Amino acid sequence: QVQLVESGGGVVQPGESLRLSCTGSGFTFSTYTMHWVRQAPGKGLEWVAVTSSDEKYKYYADSVKGRFTISRDNSMNTLYLQMNSLRAEDTAMFYCARADEDGPNRPVAYWGQGTLVTVSS
Amino acid sequence: DIQMTQSPSSLSASVGDRVTITCRASQGISNYLAWYQQKPGKVPKLLIYAASTLQSGVPSRFSGSGSGTDFTLTISSLQPEDVATYYCQKYNSVPRTFGGGTKVEIK
């Protein structure tokens, strides 16, 4: 079955960097568009970034554009989110997510359990 | 960017009640609309996609409707296990904006 396992979260100070990872299994990772979605404590869901299967296109939410970079290593079945210049408002649970089917404009149907990022001085 | 507005932000209803949640897009999104259920402390779960298609395994008391800018999620007979926060999300283009969520409680 489809499994997504995130790692790399932790406590950092404002201005610092962190790299999140998400390893996929139970499916052909290299054929799927992958997303990052976050949720601040007690708040709603916020879409963060997406990368196509071949990294030809990548898009970001305005709130992270220029600070976060999404990437992937299909040989390792792993998705990454490099987060630089972190701010207190980036504190959140970060989920990696996969669409229900391969192809454009598909809804997210599979979620990892999330990794918690806390930005605090 | 297209904004997604959900209403109400919370509701309290009795077991067996019919519950309706609305989601409005600031521009037309055809039927590229998904609904998610997130129970406390859990990961979001896809309930409905393409505005009205029930995801496999989701109880038939859940239904969705709408197209363009106005969408509805309906729970025909609220059950205790439906206590959760429900989110809509557009997925026709980026950013894939979520609605603000609707918290559903039992009265």
Side-chain angles (χ1 to χ4, degrees), chain A residues 18-85:
Chain A
L18 206 57
R19 187 177 82 156
L20 306 183
S21 301
C22 168
T23 301
S25 60
F27 65 101
T28 305
F29 183 85
S30 60
T31 64
Y32 283 86
T33 293
M34 296 295 296
H35 301 258
W36 286 100
V37 176
R38 68 182 179 182
Q39 186 169 36
K43 303 296 185 182
L45 299 169
E46 181 187 15
W47 176 83
V48 173
V50 62
T51 176
S52 60
S53 58
D54 56 5
E55 296 191 278
K56 275 187 181 176
Y57 70 82
K58 300 178 183 182
Y59 296 102
Y60 301 89
D62 285 346
S63 58
V64 307
K65 204 172 293 182
R67 300 187 300 123
F68 290 11
T69 302
I70 189 171
S71 63
R72 62 193 297 162
D73 183 341
N74 287 337
S75 69
M76 298 288 289
N77 292 346
T78 302
L79 176 73
Y80 301 102
L81 187 67
Q82 177 67 44
M83 305 185 295
N84 298 331
S85 302

Side-chain angles (χ1 to χ4, degrees), chain B residues 8-84:
Chain B
S9 57
S10 66
L11 65 89
S12 181
S14 299
V15 172
D17 282 355
R18 183 180 185 88
V19 168
T20 299
I21 298 168
T22 63
C23 178
R24 175 164 289 174
S26 59
Q27 298 175 40
I29 59 170
S30 184
N31 68 336
Y32 290 96
L33 192 283
W35 289 98
Y36 297 90
Q37 175 194 62
Q38 187 178 32
K39 295 184 178 181
K42 300 295 185 182
V43 170
K45 173 186 174 182
L46 177 65
L47 294 179
I48 288 169
Y49 62 96
S52 61
T53 303
L54 206 63
Q55 176 72 343
S56 175
V58 174
S60 59
R61 63 181 179 273
F62 291 92
S63 64
S65 65
S67 183
T69 60
D70 293 307
F71 303 87
T72 299
L73 172 69
T74 299
I75 308 173
S76 61
S77 177
L78 186 67
Q79 299 302 304
E81 60 265 33
D82 300 335
V83 168

